[in-house]
Amino acid sequence: MGNRFINSLIVVAVVALVPVAGSTSLLGSYVEARQSLGGGGPTSLVSFVGVAEAAGGGVQAPAAKPQAYTPPRTADGKPDLQGIWQVLNTAAWDIQDHPARLDVPAGQGVVDGNDIPYQPWAAAKKKENFESRLTADPVRKCYLPGIPRITYMPYPFQIFQTADSIVIIYEYVHAVRTIYTDRPHLPGPIDFWMGQSRGRWDGDTLVVDTVHFNGETWLDGAGNFHSDALHVVERYTRTGPEHISYEVTIEDPKVFTRPWKMNMPLYRRQERNAQVLDYECHALEEEAAGRLK
């Protein structure tokens, strides 16, 4: 009876410990089983594994690596990014972690490390922008949001592809962006609200390089800003039937001490009749002020 009692204790101890084996070492679980039975129990690691399997737990094998997604292709063999997409985050209000404020939902940041490496003068300017954001934000004046902010505005956009260009139509103020993949940047400097974009394919990732900004746009509604030296590199990668991984590298030697990144997913709109509609800021502003009948 003594042996049967000890064997029962062994099985009970092993059943309790098997789930732990996936998160701690198998050797550690074996030692714990021996100690819990006062030195009794399985006399070797091999016998411990055998008892664990007999108890129905088994030994967890390393998880298989998920297979890379193979995106659909356009007629010219490039990954098909076409469709209506939209973010589901609060980056348009603040790209860093932030609490809820009036008319601003709380949100988790999209900046890597949640740190923006401002130069000292620029950090003070950002704070000033935040304090006056309700009137100073260029978007509140119906100006174009710039790149990359227009991507994570709370409005959808539609991507079209041809053999030598990608065209993005944004719902916000009817903005249209043409990204040529067959030509270099124009010589600058040039002042554009949305910059000038050129694209290339890096395997299955669309890489978009944008320069020639006017320095008048913000990166969000919290006062994060840049200068006319802004250089933006975006990476669009299909990660599933309904998702695009969107990565942005920001570089501006006039404002920041080093380049930094943002990351977020883009989601495909699922409605049966999904389409890009109208958000005409100037007309809505005039209507709200009673100047448009």
Side-chain angles (χ1 to χ4, degrees):
M1 178 173 178
N3 289 336
R4 286 200 301 271
F5 177 72
I6 291 298
N7 289 336
S8 297
L9 286 179
I10 292 171
V11 172
V12 171
V14 168
V15 170
L17 287 168
V18 163
V20 180
S23 57
T24 61
S25 70
L26 187 60
L27 179 59
S29 297
Y30 163 67
V31 171
E32 289 177 7
R34 293 278 293 172
Q35 291 175 344
S36 68
L37 298 175
T43 57
S44 71
L45 183 58
V46 173
S47 63
F48 170 73
V49 172
V51 174
E53 291 176 338
V59 177
Q60 295 185 7
K65 292 183 178 180
Q67 294 184 346
Y69 176 69
T70 301
R73 306 279 171 176
T74 58
D76 60 344
K78 298 295 189 291
D80 191 345
L81 304 179
Q82 298 179 108
I84 298 178
W85 306 89
Q86 189 169 354
V87 301
L88 291 175
N89 61 35
T90 60
W93 291 277
D94 196 331
I95 56 177
Q96 293 177 286
D97 293 347
H98 59 276
R101 300 187 290 270
L102 182 63
D103 296 328
V104 176
Q108 295 176 298
V110 296
V111 177
D112 283 7
N114 199 45
D115 176 56
I116 300 178
Y118 281 110
Q119 297 176 24
W121 76 267
K125 175 63 176 175
K126 189 272 178 183
K127 183 177 180 180
E128 177 185 321
N129 288 347
F130 180 82
E131 296 300 327
S132 60
R133 65 192 182 281
L134 297 182
T135 55
D137 183 356
V139 164
R140 290 186 175 268
K141 303 173 186 178
C142 292
Y143 297 153
L144 285 166
I147 304 297
R149 187 179 180 183
I150 198 168
T151 305
Y152 44 81
M153 292 285 285
Y155 306 91
F157 55 89
Q158 188 165 5
I159 299 177
F160 298 90
Q161 285 176 245
T162 69
D164 55 12
S165 67
I166 293 91
V167 177
I168 307 180
I169 297 176
Y170 301 91
E171 184 167 297
Y172 187 79
V173 297
H174 308 293
V176 178
R177 183 184 182 196
T178 301
I179 304 167
Y180 292 107
T181 57
D182 64 345
R183 65 196 69 177
H185 285 292
L186 295 173
I190 310 173
D191 288 345
F192 289 129
W193 284 94
M194 299 284 283
Q196 183 192 66
S197 299
R198 295 292 183 260
R200 63 180 177 84
W201 291 96
D202 180 9
D204 284 346
T205 296
L206 173 65
V207 181
V208 182
D209 189 289
T210 305
V211 294
H212 298 324
F213 292 96
N214 63 10
E216 298 298 322
T217 63
W218 286 5
L219 299 171
D220 60 15
N224 287 299
F225 74 106
H226 61 85
S227 76
D228 58 359
L230 177 66
H231 176 204
V232 177
V233 177
E234 303 161 282
R235 297 179 65 87
Y236 297 79
T237 308
R238 286 285 297 269
T239 57
E242 320 300 343
H243 301 88
I244 291 176
S245 171
Y246 180 66
E247 177 187 284
V248 188
T249 300
I250 302 291
E251 183 178 11
D252 186 338
K254 291 184 179 180
V255 176
F256 309 112
T257 61
R258 58 173 172 79
W260 51 280
K261 290 185 178 182
M262 293 186 280
N263 291 274
M264 67 195 76
L266 308 178
Y267 299 88
R268 184 191 294 277
R269 292 288 293 262
Q270 296 295 312
E271 298 89 337
R272 183 185 299 274
N273 298 316
Q275 56 187 301
V276 173
L277 302 173
D278 295 325
Y279 187 88
E280 181 47 67
C281 184
H282 289 288
L284 294 172
E285 185 181 53
E286 291 292 306
E287 182 181 50
R291 295 188 292 268
L292 184 65
K293 303 296 184 180

